[in-house]
Amino acid sequence: MGHHCCSKQKVKRGLWSPEEDDKLIKHITTHGHGCWSSVPKLAGLQRCGKSCRLRWINYLRPDLKRGSFTEQEERIIIDVHRILGNRWAQIAKHLPGRTDNEVKNFWNSCIKKKLIAQGLDPNTHNLLSSHKTKLIHSHGHLHQTTSVFSISISHANDANNFVDMKTPFAYLTSSQSSMEMETLPSSSLNIPSGFGILDENCLWNTGLEPFEIEPTRREMLQQQQPEQEKVCEGEIGNRVNESNGAQNMETSMMESSNFDFDFVESALMPCGMYCSVSPMDQLAWDC
DNA sequence: AATTGCACCAACCGCAAAATC
DNA sequence: AGATTTTGCGGTTGGTGCAAT
């Protein structure tokens, strides 16, 4: 027996035929859907109302965008997912013409793999532990070292009210005494376009509509602070510590010469926020 | 040519929230 | 105000078709 809503008479299930689609389209364009549970009868379909609703919303609606996701859409999905998690319907609201089902399928079949391939945990968007390499000191000469950092943005006047955008975005190259910072090469670049300003309930993402964050999710994000570590971050730590206080940190970062922070500046300057850089991990290799 | 394996995704299910009676 | 129906959501799945054997 089928689902209880479909158990009376014979109710078709499975894929929709073009004829069924026609009936549904004709009915809804002329009468509107009204109560979904009465649609099948009125449209002459042997389906349950639920199935009709799903077919219309996910496939037949005229305002649906067809075709594969663009890179911008993919970026938005990743950014919003980092904040909201598997809230597919919420995520889809940022993508006109896309459905939650479509976003979910795209995530499960495509984005997940991409993130893992980049060494990112698709749930937390942090570095996978399997990609963490211990910094190895050998006697005498130093290895090339790389630190991956995350960035935190918050209101300057409320240090507790922040969300941590833990996307690795920059690395520090330390060779002998000279030190320079660069952004990651574009192949592995994962600029956090999800930079945003966290207000009481909302996150304004650059380029996105504000969206709400549930309190529990917010707490979870806030607890994901990367632990401070040693060695190479010591050097970064110095930078950070030198500037005591968040306000100074902003300027100290802007002043650091080879650091391409254009995208940070544009996110920061108008808003009176501050930004902090935290080490997430170190990678090391032999020269 | 036939078989197996697998990725994809449209559609299903159960649950919960919202709406309605 | 409580019961019932309807809608919306997210996890899951099984059919389809492509690729490898």
Side-chain angles (χ1 to χ4, degrees):
Chain A
M1 252 319 173
H3 189 257
H4 62 83
C5 80
C6 325
S7 57
K8 285 159 192 168
Q9 317 114 7
K10 54 215 151 162
V11 172
K12 193 164 181 292
R13 301 156 47 85
L15 298 181
W16 280 63
S17 70
E19 293 75 22
E20 288 178 305
D21 283 348
D22 274 351
K23 284 186 182 177
L24 189 56
I25 290 170
K26 284 209 182 91
H27 175 257
I28 291 181
T29 49
T30 58
H31 303 100
H33 61 77
C35 172
W36 279 110
S37 56
S38 59
V39 163
K41 257 183 250 167
L42 298 171
L45 286 162
Q46 304 203 318
R47 294 269 180 178
C48 67
K50 217 172 170 179
S51 180
C52 294
R53 175 184 169 272
L54 200 70
R55 184 64 183 167
W56 176 257
I57 289 179
N58 285 343
Y59 220 77
L60 299 178
R61 269 161 55 197
D63 57 336
L64 282 181
K65 189 192 265 187
R66 312 260 171 177
S68 44
F69 285 89
T70 66
E71 271 184 41
Q72 293 92 325
E73 288 178 314
E74 179 175 338
R75 188 70 255 165
I76 289 172
I77 294 172
I78 295 171
D79 289 336
V80 181
H81 183 280
R82 182 168 58 236
I83 306 302
L84 297 183
N86 296 357
R87 306 292 300 276
W88 309 117
Q90 291 300 312
I91 297 171
K93 284 180 182 166
H94 293 275
L95 306 165
R98 303 295 191 179
T99 68
D100 54 351
N101 209 37
E102 205 177 4
V103 171
K104 179 174 55 185
N105 281 337
F106 184 52
W107 179 271
N108 286 327
S109 64
C110 187
I111 298 186
K112 223 188 224 178
K113 287 174 199 161
K114 277 195 193 175
L115 291 182
I116 291 170
Q118 290 174 18
L120 295 173
D121 182 326
N123 295 123
T124 63
H125 297 247
N126 293 331
L127 276 183
L128 288 165
S129 50
S130 59
H131 278 244
K132 293 184 179 175
T133 316
K134 285 244 171 79
L135 185 65
I136 305 162
H137 284 295
S138 74
H139 205 63
H141 84 282
L142 197 52
H143 299 268
Q144 196 86 348
T145 58
T146 293
S147 287
V148 182
F149 300 96
S150 71
I151 227 171
S152 301
I153 294 183
S154 60
H155 283 111
N157 58 1
D158 184 2
N160 294 323
N161 192 18
F162 74 98
V163 65
D164 193 6
M165 304 295 187
K166 300 179 62 169
T167 303
F169 75 103
Y171 66 88
L172 173 84
T173 313
S174 161
S175 55
Q176 289 141 8
S177 60
S178 74
M179 190 202 297
E180 49 179 326
M181 291 182 96
E182 306 168 31
T183 53
L184 286 167
S186 60
S187 57
S188 58
L189 186 60
N190 196 5
I191 289 179
S193 55
F195 272 141
I197 312 160
L198 191 66
D199 202 347
E200 279 292 303
N201 305 304
C202 289
L203 180 74
W204 280 263
N205 252 18
T206 49
L208 295 177
E209 292 299 308
F211 54 95
E212 291 187 13
I213 307 173
E214 291 200 346
T216 52
R217 179 80 189 172
R218 171 190 295 262
E219 274 176 38
M220 204 202 78
L221 287 165
Q222 291 176 342
Q223 283 167 7
Q224 282 184 6
Q225 283 262 64
E227 342 70 54
Q228 295 288 331
E229 293 180 23
K230 322 101 212 176
V231 206
C232 198
E233 308 82 277
E235 292 161 347
I236 281 296
N238 289 341
R239 275 179 200 267
V240 171
N241 293 335
E242 275 169 19
S243 57
N244 40 348
Q247 302 286 0
N248 291 338
M249 193 179 320
E250 180 177 328
T251 51
S252 107
M253 280 188 0
M254 298 309 173
E255 284 164 6
S256 58
S257 53
N258 295 323
F259 212 156
D260 179 7
F261 258 116
D262 283 349
F263 63 94
V264 173
E265 285 180 40
S266 63
L268 281 177
M269 297 317 279
C271 311
M273 301 179 304
Y274 71 85
C275 176
S276 66
V277 180
S278 330
M280 291 176 69
D281 203 359
Q282 309 90 51
L283 310 172
W285 63 92
D286 280 307
C287 307

